[in-house]
Coordinates of all heavy atoms in Angstrom, one line a residue:
M1 N 7.4 21.1 26.2 CA 7.6 21.0 27.6 C 6.9 22.2 28.4 O 6.2 21.9 29.3 CB 9.1 21.1 28.0 CG 9.9 19.9 27.6 SD 11.7 20.1 27.7 CE 12.0 21.5 28.5
K2 N 7.0 23.3 27.9 CA 6.3 24.5 28.5 C 4.8 24.4 28.4 O 4.1 24.6 29.4 CB 6.8 25.8 27.9 CG 8.2 26.2 28.1 CD 8.6 27.4 27.5 CE 10.1 27.7 27.7 NZ 10.4 29.0 26.9
R3 N 4.3 24.0 27.3 CA 2.9 23.9 27.0 C 2.2 22.9 28.0 O 1.1 23.3 28.5 CB 2.6 23.5 25.5 CG 1.2 23.5 25.3 CD 1.0 23.3 23.7 NE -0.4 23.4 23.3 CZ -0.9 23.3 22.1 NH1 0.1 23.0 21.1 NH2 -2.1 23.4 21.8
Y4 N 2.8 21.8 28.2 CA 2.2 20.7 29.0 C 2.8 20.6 30.4 O 2.4 19.7 31.1 CB 2.2 19.4 28.3 CG 1.3 19.4 27.0 CD1 2.0 19.5 25.7 CD2 0.0 19.3 27.0 CE1 1.2 19.6 24.6 CE2 -0.8 19.4 25.9 CZ -0.3 19.5 24.6 OH -1.0 19.5 23.5
E5 N 3.8 21.5 30.6 CA 4.4 21.5 31.9 C 5.0 20.1 32.3 O 4.7 19.6 33.4 CB 3.5 22.1 32.9 CG 3.1 23.4 32.7 CD 2.1 24.0 33.8 OE1 1.7 23.3 34.7 OE2 1.7 25.1 33.6
V6 N 5.7 19.5 31.3 CA 6.3 18.2 31.6 C 7.9 18.4 31.4 O 8.4 19.3 30.8 CB 5.8 17.1 30.7 CG1 4.3 16.8 31.0 CG2 6.0 17.5 29.3
S7 N 8.7 17.4 31.9 CA 10.1 17.5 31.9 C 10.5 17.0 30.4 O 9.9 16.4 29.7 CB 10.8 16.6 32.9 OG 10.5 15.2 32.6
R8 N 11.8 17.4 30.2 CA 12.5 17.0 28.9 C 12.5 15.5 28.8 O 12.3 14.9 27.7 CB 13.8 17.6 28.9 CG 14.6 17.2 27.6 CD 15.9 17.9 27.6 NE 15.6 19.4 27.3 CZ 16.3 20.2 26.6 NH1 17.5 19.7 26.0 NH2 16.0 21.4 26.4
T9 N 12.7 14.8 30.0 CA 12.8 13.4 29.9 C 11.5 12.8 29.6 O 11.5 11.8 28.8 CB 13.2 12.9 31.4 OG1 14.5 13.5 31.7 CG2 13.3 11.4 31.4
T10 N 10.4 13.3 30.1 CA 9.1 12.9 29.7 C 8.8 13.0 28.2 O 8.3 12.1 27.5 CB 8.0 13.6 30.5 OG1 8.2 13.4 31.9 CG2 6.6 13.1 30.2
V11 N 9.2 14.1 27.6 CA 9.0 14.3 26.2 C 9.8 13.4 25.4 O 9.4 12.7 24.5 CB 9.4 15.8 25.9 CG1 9.4 16.0 24.4 CG2 8.4 16.7 26.4
R12 N 11.1 13.1 25.8 CA 12.0 12.2 25.1 C 11.4 10.7 25.2 O 11.4 10.1 24.2 CB 13.3 12.2 25.7 CG 14.1 13.4 25.3 CD 15.5 13.3 25.8 NE 16.3 14.5 25.4 CZ 17.4 14.9 25.9 NH1 18.0 14.3 26.9 NH2 18.0 16.0 25.5
E13 N 10.9 10.3 26.3 CA 10.3 9.0 26.5 C 9.1 8.9 25.6 O 8.8 7.8 25.0 CB 9.9 8.7 27.9 CG 11.2 8.5 28.8 CD 10.8 8.2 30.3 OE1 9.7 7.8 30.6 OE2 11.6 8.4 31.1
A14 N 8.3 9.9 25.5 CA 7.0 9.9 24.7 C 7.4 9.8 23.2 O 6.8 9.0 22.4 CB 6.2 11.1 24.9
L15 N 8.4 10.5 22.8 CA 8.9 10.5 21.5 C 9.4 9.2 21.1 O 9.2 8.6 20.0 CB 9.9 11.6 21.1 CG 9.3 13.0 21.0 CD1 10.5 14.0 20.9 CD2 8.3 13.2 19.9
R16 N 10.2 8.5 22.0 CA 10.8 7.2 21.8 C 9.7 6.1 21.6 O 9.7 5.3 20.8 CB 11.7 6.8 22.9 CG 12.4 5.5 22.7 CD 13.5 5.1 23.8 NE 13.4 5.8 25.1 CZ 14.1 6.7 25.5 NH1 15.0 7.3 24.8 NH2 14.0 7.3 26.7
G17 N 8.6 6.2 22.5 CA 7.5 5.4 22.4 C 6.7 5.5 21.1 O 6.3 4.5 20.4
L18 N 6.5 6.7 20.6 CA 5.9 7.0 19.3 C 6.8 6.4 18.2 O 6.3 5.9 17.2 CB 5.6 8.4 19.1 CG 4.6 9.0 20.1 CD1 4.5 10.5 19.9 CD2 3.2 8.4 19.8
T19 N 8.1 6.6 18.3 CA 9.0 6.0 17.3 C 8.9 4.5 17.2 O 8.9 3.9 16.1 CB 10.5 6.5 17.5 OG1 10.5 7.9 17.6 CG2 11.4 5.9 16.5
D20 N 8.9 3.9 18.4 CA 8.8 2.5 18.5 C 7.5 1.9 17.9 O 7.5 0.9 17.3 CB 8.9 2.0 19.9 CG 10.3 2.2 20.5 OD1 11.3 2.4 19.8 OD2 10.4 2.1 21.8
M21 N 6.4 2.7 18.0 CA 5.2 2.2 17.4 C 5.1 2.6 15.9 O 4.1 2.3 15.3 CB 4.0 2.9 18.2 CG 3.8 2.4 19.6 SD 2.3 3.0 20.4 CE 2.7 4.8 20.6
G22 N 6.0 3.3 15.4 CA 6.0 3.7 14.0 C 5.2 4.9 13.6 O 4.9 5.1 12.5
I23 N 4.8 5.6 14.7 CA 3.9 6.8 14.5 C 4.7 8.0 14.0 O 4.3 8.8 13.2 CB 3.1 7.2 15.8 CG1 2.2 5.9 16.0 CG2 2.3 8.4 15.6 CD1 1.5 6.0 17.3
I24 N 6.0 8.1 14.6 CA 6.9 9.2 14.1 C 8.2 8.6 13.7 O 8.5 7.4 14.0 CB 7.1 10.3 15.2 CG1 7.8 9.6 16.4 CG2 5.8 10.9 15.6 CD1 8.3 10.7 17.4
I25 N 8.9 9.3 12.8 CA 10.2 8.9 12.4 C 11.2 10.1 12.8 O 10.9 11.2 12.8 CB 10.3 8.7 10.9 CG1 9.9 9.9 10.1 CG2 9.6 7.4 10.5 CD1 10.2 9.8 8.6
K26 N 12.4 9.7 13.1 CA 13.4 10.7 13.6 C 14.5 10.8 12.4 O 14.9 9.7 11.9 CB 14.1 10.2 14.8 CG 13.2 10.5 16.0 CD 14.0 10.1 17.3 CE 13.1 10.4 18.6 NZ 13.9 10.2 19.7
K27 N 14.8 11.9 12.1 CA 15.9 12.2 11.1 C 16.9 12.9 11.8 O 16.8 14.1 12.3 CB 15.4 12.9 9.9 CG 14.4 12.2 9.1 CD 14.0 12.9 7.8 CE 13.0 12.1 7.1 NZ 12.5 12.8 5.8
Q28 N 18.2 12.3 11.9 CA 19.3 12.9 12.7 C 19.6 14.3 12.2 O 19.7 14.5 11.0 CB 20.5 12.0 12.7 CG 21.5 12.4 13.6 CD 22.7 11.4 13.8 OE1 22.6 10.3 13.2 NE2 23.7 11.8 14.5
G29 N 19.7 15.2 13.1 CA 20.1 16.6 12.7 C 18.9 17.4 12.1 O 19.1 18.6 11.8
V30 N 17.8 16.8 11.9 CA 16.6 17.5 11.3 C 15.5 17.6 12.3 O 15.0 18.7 12.5 CB 16.2 16.8 10.0 CG1 15.1 17.5 9.4 CG2 17.4 16.7 9.0
G31 N 15.1 16.5 12.8 CA 14.0 16.5 13.8 C 13.1 15.3 13.7 O 13.5 14.3 13.1
S32 N 12.0 15.3 14.4 CA 11.0 14.2 14.4 C 9.8 14.6 13.6 O 9.3 15.8 13.7 CB 10.6 13.9 15.8 OG 11.6 13.6 16.6
F33 N 9.2 13.6 12.8 CA 8.1 13.9 11.9 C 7.1 12.8 12.0 O 7.5 11.7 12.2 CB 8.6 14.0 10.4 CG 9.7 15.1 10.3 CD1 11.1 14.8 10.4 CD2 9.4 16.4 10.0 CE1 12.0 15.7 10.3 CE2 10.3 17.3 9.8 CZ 11.6 17.0 9.9
V34 N 5.8 13.1 11.7 CA 4.8 12.1 11.7 C 5.1 11.2 10.5 O 5.3 11.7 9.4 CB 3.4 12.8 11.6 CG1 2.3 11.8 11.4 CG2 3.2 13.7 12.8
A35 N 5.1 9.9 10.7 CA 5.3 8.9 9.7 C 4.2 8.8 8.7 O 3.0 9.1 9.2 CB 5.6 7.5 10.3
E36 N 4.4 8.5 7.4 CA 3.3 8.2 6.5 C 2.5 7.1 6.9 O 3.1 6.1 7.5 CB 3.8 8.0 5.2 CG 4.4 9.2 4.5 CD 4.8 9.1 3.1 OE1 4.2 8.2 2.4 OE2 5.8 9.7 2.6
E37 N 1.2 7.0 6.8 CA 0.4 5.9 7.2 C 0.8 4.7 6.3 O 0.9 4.7 5.2 CB -1.1 6.2 6.9 CG -2.0 5.2 7.4 CD -3.5 5.5 7.3 OE1 -3.8 6.6 6.9 OE2 -4.3 4.6 7.4
K38 N 1.0 3.6 7.1 CA 1.3 2.4 6.4 C 0.1 1.6 6.2 O -0.9 1.5 7.0 CB 2.3 1.6 7.2 CG 3.6 2.2 7.4 CD 4.5 1.4 8.3 CE 5.8 2.2 8.5 NZ 6.6 1.7 9.7
I39 N 0.0 0.9 5.0 CA -1.2 0.2 4.7 C -0.8 -1.3 5.1 O 0.0 -2.0 4.6 CB -1.5 0.2 3.2 CG1 -1.9 1.6 2.8 CG2 -2.7 -0.8 2.9 CD1 -2.1 1.8 1.3
S40 N -1.5 -1.7 6.2 CA -1.3 -3.1 6.7 C -2.3 -4.0 6.1 O -3.3 -3.6 5.5 CB -1.4 -3.1 8.2 OG -2.8 -2.7 8.6
E41 N -1.9 -5.3 6.1 CA -2.7 -6.3 5.4 C -3.9 -6.6 6.2 O -3.8 -6.8 7.4 CB -1.9 -7.6 5.2 CG -2.2 -8.2 3.8 CD -1.3 -9.4 3.6 OE1 0.0 -9.1 3.7 OE2 -1.7 -10.4 3.3
F42 N -5.1 -6.6 5.6 CA -6.3 -7.0 6.4 C -7.1 -8.0 5.4 O -7.6 -7.5 4.5 CB -7.2 -5.8 6.7 CG -8.5 -6.2 7.2 CD1 -8.7 -6.6 8.5 CD2 -9.6 -6.0 6.5 CE1 -9.9 -6.9 9.1 CE2 -10.9 -6.3 7.0 CZ -11.0 -6.7 8.3
L43 N -7.0 -9.3 5.8 CA -7.6 -10.2 4.9 C -8.6 -11.1 5.7 O -8.2 -12.2 6.0 CB -6.6 -11.0 4.1 CG -5.7 -10.2 3.1 CD1 -4.6 -11.1 2.6 CD2 -6.5 -9.7 2.0
P44 N -9.8 -10.7 5.9 CA -10.7 -11.6 6.6 C -11.1 -12.8 5.8 O -11.4 -13.9 6.2 CB -11.9 -10.8 6.9 CG -11.9 -9.7 5.9 CD -10.4 -9.5 5.6
G45 N -10.9 -12.6 4.5 CA -11.2 -13.7 3.5 C -10.4 -13.2 2.2 O -9.8 -12.1 2.3
L46 N -10.5 -13.8 1.1 CA -9.8 -13.3 0.0 C -10.7 -12.2 -0.6 O -11.8 -12.3 -0.9 CB -9.7 -14.5 -1.0 CG -8.7 -15.5 -0.7 CD1 -8.6 -16.7 -1.7 CD2 -7.3 -14.9 -0.5
V47 N -10.1 -11.0 -0.7 CA -10.7 -9.8 -1.3 C -9.8 -9.3 -2.4 O -8.5 -9.5 -2.3 CB -11.0 -8.7 -0.3 CG1 -12.1 -9.3 0.7 CG2 -9.8 -8.3 0.4
S48 N -10.3 -8.6 -3.3 CA -9.5 -7.9 -4.3 C -8.8 -6.8 -3.8 O -9.2 -6.1 -2.8 CB -10.5 -7.5 -5.6 OG -11.2 -6.4 -5.3
F49 N -7.8 -6.3 -4.5 CA -7.1 -5.1 -4.2 C -8.1 -3.9 -4.1 O -8.0 -3.2 -3.1 CB -6.0 -4.8 -5.2 CG -5.3 -3.5 -5.0 CD1 -4.3 -3.4 -4.0 CD2 -5.6 -2.4 -5.7 CE1 -3.7 -2.2 -3.8 CE2 -5.0 -1.2 -5.6 CZ -4.0 -1.1 -4.6
S50 N -8.9 -3.8 -5.1 CA -9.9 -2.7 -5.1 C -10.8 -2.7 -3.9 O -11.1 -1.7 -3.2 CB -10.7 -2.8 -6.3 OG -10.0 -2.5 -7.5
Q51 N -11.3 -3.9 -3.5 CA -12.2 -4.0 -2.4 C -11.5 -3.6 -1.0 O -11.9 -3.0 -0.2 CB -12.7 -5.4 -2.2 CG -13.8 -5.8 -3.3 CD -14.0 -7.3 -3.1 OE1 -13.2 -8.2 -2.9 NE2 -15.3 -7.6 -3.4
E52 N -10.2 -4.1 -1.0 CA -9.3 -3.8 0.2 C -9.2 -2.3 0.3 O -9.3 -1.7 1.4 CB -8.1 -4.5 0.1 CG -7.1 -4.2 1.3 CD -7.5 -4.9 2.6 OE1 -8.4 -5.8 2.5 OE2 -6.9 -4.5 3.6
M53 N -8.8 -1.6 -0.7 CA -8.6 -0.2 -0.7 C -9.9 0.7 -0.4 O -9.8 1.6 0.3 CB -8.0 0.3 -2.0 CG -6.5 -0.3 -2.3 SD -5.4 0.2 -1.0 CE -5.3 -1.3 -0.1
K54 N -11.0 0.2 -1.0 CA -12.3 0.9 -0.6 C -12.6 0.7 0.8 O -13.1 1.6 1.4 CB -13.4 0.2 -1.5 CG -13.4 0.7 -3.0 CD -14.5 0.1 -3.8 CE -14.4 0.4 -5.2 NZ -15.4 -0.3 -6.0
F55 N -12.4 -0.4 1.3 CA -12.5 -0.8 2.8 C -11.8 0.3 3.7 O -12.2 0.7 4.7 CB -12.2 -2.2 3.1 CG -12.3 -2.5 4.6 CD1 -13.4 -2.7 5.2 CD2 -11.1 -2.5 5.3 CE1 -13.5 -3.0 6.6 CE2 -11.2 -2.8 6.7 CZ -12.3 -3.0 7.3
R56 N -10.6 0.6 3.1 CA -9.7 1.5 3.9 C -10.0 2.9 3.6 O -9.3 3.9 4.1 CB -8.3 1.2 3.6 CG -7.8 -0.2 4.1 CD -6.4 -0.5 3.8 NE -6.1 -1.7 4.3 CZ -5.8 -2.0 5.6 NH1 -5.9 -1.1 6.4 NH2 -5.6 -3.2 5.9
G57 N -11.0 3.2 2.8 CA -11.4 4.6 2.5 C -10.7 5.3 1.3 O -10.9 6.5 1.1
F58 N -10.0 4.5 0.5 CA -9.3 5.1 -0.6 C -10.3 5.1 -1.8 O -11.2 4.2 -1.9 CB -8.1 4.4 -1.0 CG -6.9 4.5 0.0 CD1 -6.7 3.6 1.0 CD2 -6.1 5.5 0.0 CE1 -5.8 3.7 1.9 CE2 -5.1 5.7 0.8 CZ -4.9 4.7 1.9
S59 N -10.2 6.0 -2.7 CA -10.9 6.1 -3.9 C -10.2 5.1 -4.9 O -9.0 5.3 -5.2 CB -11.0 7.5 -4.5 OG -11.7 7.5 -5.7
V60 N -10.9 4.2 -5.6 CA -10.3 3.3 -6.5 C -11.0 3.4 -7.9 O -12.2 3.5 -7.9 CB -10.5 1.9 -6.0 CG1 -9.8 0.9 -6.9 CG2 -9.9 1.8 -4.6
R61 N -10.3 3.3 -8.9 CA -10.9 3.3 -10.3 C -10.0 2.4 -11.2 O -8.8 2.2 -10.9 CB -11.1 4.7 -10.8 CG -9.9 5.4 -11.3 CD -10.2 6.7 -11.8 NE -9.0 7.3 -12.5 CZ -8.7 7.2 -13.7 NH1 -9.4 6.5 -14.5 NH2 -7.6 7.7 -14.2
S62 N -10.6 1.9 -12.2 CA -9.8 1.1 -13.2 C -10.2 1.6 -14.6 O -11.3 1.9 -14.9 CB -10.3 -0.4 -13.0 OG -9.6 -1.2 -14.0
E63 N -9.2 1.7 -15.5 CA -9.4 2.2 -16.8 C -8.9 1.1 -17.8 O -7.7 0.7 -17.7 CB -8.6 3.4 -17.0 CG -8.8 4.1 -18.3 CD -8.0 5.4 -18.4 OE1 -7.5 6.0 -17.4 OE2 -7.8 5.8 -19.6
L64 N -9.7 0.8 -18.7 CA -9.4 -0.2 -19.7 C -8.4 0.5 -20.8 O -8.9 1.5 -21.4 CB -10.6 -0.8 -20.4 CG -10.4 -1.8 -21.6 CD1 -9.6 -3.1 -21.0 CD2 -11.6 -2.1 -22.3
L65 N -7.2 0.0 -20.9 CA -6.3 0.7 -21.9 C -6.3 0.0 -23.2 O -6.1 0.6 -24.2 CB -4.9 0.7 -21.2 CG -4.8 1.5 -19.9 CD1 -3.4 1.4 -19.4 CD2 -5.2 3.0 -20.1
D66 N -6.4 -1.4 -23.2 CA -6.3 -2.1 -24.5 C -6.9 -3.5 -24.2 O -6.8 -4.0 -23.1 CB -4.9 -2.3 -24.8 CG -4.7 -2.9 -26.2 OD1 -5.5 -2.6 -27.0 OD2 -3.8 -3.7 -26.3
K67 N -7.5 -4.1 -25.2 CA -8.0 -5.5 -25.2 C -7.9 -5.9 -26.7 O -8.2 -5.3 -27.6 CB -9.4 -5.6 -24.7 CG -10.5 -4.9 -25.5 CD -11.9 -5.2 -24.9 CE -12.9 -4.5 -25.9 NZ -14.2 -4.8 -25.5
R68 N -7.3 -7.1 -26.7 CA -7.2 -7.8 -28.1 C -7.0 -9.3 -27.9 O -6.5 -9.8 -26.9 CB -6.1 -7.1 -28.8 CG -4.7 -7.3 -28.3 CD -3.6 -6.7 -29.1 NE -3.7 -5.2 -28.9 CZ -2.8 -4.4 -29.4 NH1 -1.8 -4.8 -30.1 NH2 -2.9 -3.2 -29.1
M69 N -7.3 -10.0 -29.0 CA -7.1 -11.4 -29.0 C -5.6 -11.5 -29.5 O -5.2 -10.9 -30.5 CB -8.0 -12.0 -30.0 CG -9.5 -11.9 -29.6 SD -9.8 -12.8 -28.0 CE -9.6 -14.5 -28.5
V70 N -4.9 -12.4 -28.8 CA -3.4 -12.6 -29.2 C -3.2 -14.2 -29.1 O -3.9 -14.9 -28.3 CB -2.5 -11.8 -28.3 CG1 -2.7 -10.4 -28.5 CG2 -2.6 -12.3 -26.9
P71 N -2.2 -14.7 -29.9 CA -1.8 -16.1 -29.7 C -1.1 -16.3 -28.4 O -0.2 -15.5 -28.0 CB -0.9 -16.3 -31.0 CG -0.6 -15.0 -31.6 CD -1.5 -14.0 -30.9
A72 N -1.5 -17.3 -27.7 CA -0.9 -17.6 -26.4 C 0.5 -18.0 -26.5 O 0.8 -19.0 -27.3 CB -1.7 -18.6 -25.7
R73 N 1.4 -17.4 -25.8 CA 2.9 -17.9 -25.7 C 3.0 -19.0 -24.8 O 1.9 -19.4 -24.0 CB 3.8 -16.8 -25.3 CG 3.8 -15.6 -26.3 CD 4.8 -14.6 -25.8 NE 4.8 -13.5 -26.8 CZ 5.5 -12.4 -26.7 NH1 6.2 -12.2 -25.6 NH2 5.6 -11.5 -27.6
S74 N 4.0 -19.7 -24.8 CA 4.1 -20.9 -24.0 C 3.8 -20.8 -22.5 O 2.9 -21.6 -22.0 CB 5.7 -21.4 -24.0 OG 5.8 -22.5 -23.2
R75 N 4.2 -19.8 -21.9 CA 3.9 -19.6 -20.4 C 2.4 -19.4 -20.2 O 1.9 -19.9 -19.3 CB 4.8 -18.5 -19.9 CG 4.8 -18.4 -18.4 CD 5.8 -17.4 -17.9 NE 5.1 -16.5 -16.9 CZ 5.5 -15.3 -16.7 NH1 6.5 -14.8 -17.3 NH2 4.8 -14.6 -15.7
V76 N 1.9 -18.5 -20.9 CA 0.5 -18.2 -20.9 C -0.4 -19.4 -21.2 O -1.4 -19.8 -20.5 CB 0.1 -17.0 -21.8 CG1 -1.4 -16.8 -21.8 CG2 0.8 -15.7 -21.3
A77 N -0.1 -20.1 -22.3 CA -0.8 -21.4 -22.7 C -0.8 -22.4 -21.5 O -1.7 -23.0 -21.2 CB -0.1 -21.9 -23.9
T78 N 0.4 -22.6 -20.9 CA 0.5 -23.6 -19.8 C -0.4 -23.1 -18.6 O -1.2 -23.9 -18.0 CB 2.0 -23.7 -19.3 OG1 2.8 -24.1 -20.4 CG2 2.1 -24.6 -18.2
A79 N -0.3 -21.8 -18.3 CA -1.1 -21.3 -17.2 C -2.7 -21.4 -17.5 O -3.4 -21.7 -16.5 CB -0.8 -19.8 -16.9
L80 N -3.1 -21.2 -18.7 CA -4.5 -21.3 -19.0 C -5.0 -22.7 -19.5 O -6.1 -22.8 -19.9 CB -4.8 -20.2 -20.1 CG -4.6 -18.7 -19.6 CD1 -4.9 -17.9 -20.8 CD2 -5.4 -18.4 -18.5
A81 N -4.0 -23.6 -19.6 CA -4.2 -24.9 -20.0 C -4.9 -25.0 -21.4 O -5.9 -25.7 -21.6 CB -5.2 -25.7 -19.0
V82 N -4.3 -24.2 -22.3 CA -4.6 -24.2 -23.7 C -3.3 -24.5 -24.5 O -2.2 -24.5 -24.0 CB -5.3 -22.9 -24.2 CG1 -6.5 -22.6 -23.4 CG2 -4.3 -21.7 -24.0
S83 N -3.6 -24.8 -25.8 CA -2.4 -25.1 -26.6 C -1.7 -23.8 -27.0 O -2.3 -22.8 -27.1 CB -2.7 -25.8 -27.9 OG -3.7 -25.2 -28.6
E84 N -0.4 -23.9 -27.2 CA 0.4 -22.7 -27.6 C 0.0 -22.3 -28.9 O -0.4 -23.0 -29.8 CB 1.9 -23.0 -27.6 CG 2.8 -21.9 -27.8 CD 4.2 -22.2 -27.7 OE1 4.6 -23.3 -27.0 OE2 5.1 -21.5 -28.1
G85 N -0.2 -20.9 -29.1 CA -0.8 -20.4 -30.2 C -2.3 -20.2 -30.3 O -2.8 -19.5 -31.1
H86 N -3.0 -20.8 -29.3 CA -4.5 -20.7 -29.2 C -4.7 -19.2 -28.9 O -4.0 -18.5 -28.1 CB -5.0 -21.6 -28.0 CG -6.4 -21.6 -27.9 ND1 -7.2 -22.4 -28.6 CD2 -7.2 -20.8 -27.1 CE1 -8.5 -22.2 -28.3 NE2 -8.5 -21.2 -27.3
H87 N -5.7 -18.6 -29.5 CA -6.0 -17.2 -29.3 C -6.6 -17.0 -27.9 O -7.6 -17.7 -27.6 CB -6.9 -16.6 -30.4 CG -6.1 -16.2 -31.6 ND1 -5.7 -17.2 -32.5 CD2 -5.6 -15.0 -32.0 CE1 -4.9 -16.5 -33.5 NE2 -4.9 -15.2 -33.2
V88 N -6.1 -16.0 -27.1 CA -6.6 -15.7 -25.8 C -6.8 -14.1 -25.8 O -6.3 -13.4 -26.6 CB -5.7 -16.1 -24.7 CG1 -5.5 -17.6 -24.7 CG2 -4.3 -15.5 -24.9
L89 N -7.6 -13.7 -24.8 CA -7.8 -12.3 -24.7 C -6.9 -11.7 -23.8 O -6.7 -12.1 -22.6 CB -9.4 -12.1 -24.2 CG -9.8 -10.6 -24.0 CD1 -9.8 -9.9 -25.3 CD2 -11.1 -10.6 -23.4
R90 N -6.2 -10.6 -24.3 CA -5.2 -9.9 -23.4 C -5.8 -8.6 -23.1 O -6.2 -7.9 -24.0 CB -3.9 -9.7 -24.1 CG -2.9 -8.9 -23.2 CD -1.5 -8.8 -23.8 NE -1.6 -7.9 -25.0 CZ -0.6 -7.7 -25.9 NH1 0.5 -8.4 -25.7 NH2 -0.8 -6.8 -26.9
I91 N -5.9 -8.3 -21.8 CA -6.5 -7.0 -21.3 C -5.4 -6.3 -20.6 O -4.8 -6.8 -19.8 CB -7.7 -7.2 -20.4 CG1 -8.8 -8.0 -21.2 CG2 -8.2 -6.0 -19.7 CD1 -10.0 -8.5 -20.3
T92 N -5.3 -5.0 -20.9 CA -4.5 -4.1 -20.2 C -5.3 -3.0 -19.6 O -6.1 -2.4 -20.2 CB -3.4 -3.4 -21.2 OG1 -2.8 -4.5 -21.9 CG2 -2.4 -2.7 -20.4
R93 N -5.1 -2.9 -18.2 CA -5.9 -1.8 -17.6 C -5.0 -1.1 -16.6 O -4.0 -1.5 -16.2 CB -7.1 -2.4 -16.9 CG -6.9 -3.5 -15.8 CD -8.2 -4.0 -15.2 NE -7.8 -4.6 -14.0 CZ -8.6 -4.7 -13.0 NH1 -9.8 -4.1 -13.0 NH2 -8.2 -5.3 -11.9

């Protein structure tokens, strides 16, 4: 109030507006804080998670943890249109 020479009502209205926009959060008995940035969905077309995060300026990497041929269980076989027990590649990253 002192810094910008405005009334307490003006400050309260500004804080209420920022809260309504999700820019700040209020914690009763503690104060008002800047809210963490929310990642909103932006899909101009179908893009991968990695592409979406790179677009937003995040650093993205993927690490191969395991890969092996395994017999397909019922659900996997159905999804891949192969017979149950058919060997498929399982990748963990």
Side-chain angles (χ1 to χ4, degrees):
M1 291 176 1
K2 290 178 185 177
R3 183 176 189 177
Y4 295 103
E5 299 177 2
V6 295
S7 70
R8 179 175 289 216
T9 303
T10 301
V11 172
R12 285 185 179 161
E13 287 178 22
L15 289 173
R16 187 175 20 258
L18 293 171
T19 302
D20 292 345
M21 291 187 296
I23 295 172
I24 65 168
I25 56 170
K26 288 186 176 184
K27 294 185 180 179
Q28 189 171 356
V30 181
S32 299
F33 303 90
V34 176
E36 291 184 28
E37 183 178 351
K38 296 176 184 165
I39 297 176
S40 59
E41 217 173 310
F42 173 74
L43 297 174
L46 291 178
V47 296
S48 72
F49 174 79
S50 296
Q51 289 172 323
E52 178 71 15
M53 293 302 102
K54 284 179 185 177
F55 174 78
R56 295 181 179 283
F58 291 96
S59 176
V60 180
R61 71 181 190 90
S62 177
E63 181 179 344
L64 180 65
L65 300 175
D66 185 41
K67 65 176 179 177
R68 67 178 73 171
M69 296 297 289
V70 296
R73 293 184 179 174
S74 176
R75 190 171 131 204
V76 172
T78 301
L80 297 177
V82 298
S83 59
E84 192 171 337
H86 184 86
H87 278 79
V88 295
L89 180 62
R90 180 176 69 188
I91 298 173
T92 306
R93 61 181 196 146

